[in-house]
Amino acid sequence: MHIRVDDGKIAELRFHGQGCAISQAAASIASEEYVGMPLERIGELDGEWLIDLLGNPDLGDAAQGARC
């Protein structure tokens, strides 16, 4: 992950990784949401935040590796 921070906020974020389609999509969507977010807010986020962001409560099992 490559992150550029300006004034305590994420200005740019890029990630490189491998994984199943769900994990890659989740990383991409989360990366877009992180841009502009204050750094202290990032530490408050949890897995439920990502599931809510993806808009599919059935992904709860996938977030724990059940489907990957």
Side-chain angles (χ1 to χ4, degrees), residues 16-38:
H16 306 279
Q18 297 176 335
C20 68
I22 292 172
S23 67
Q24 291 293 296
S28 178
I29 292 168
S31 295
E32 291 175 9
E33 289 295 314
Y34 292 145
V35 174
M37 195 177 285

Side-chain angles (χ1 to χ4, degrees), residues 1-29:
M1 185 172 287
H2 303 278
I3 301 171
R4 185 171 57 85
V5 177
D6 286 331
D7 297 323
K9 295 181 180 179
I10 294 180
E12 185 177 355
L13 188 147
R14 297 179 186 181
F15 74 94
H16 306 279
Q18 297 176 335
C20 68
I22 292 172
S23 67
Q24 291 293 296
S28 178
I29 292 168

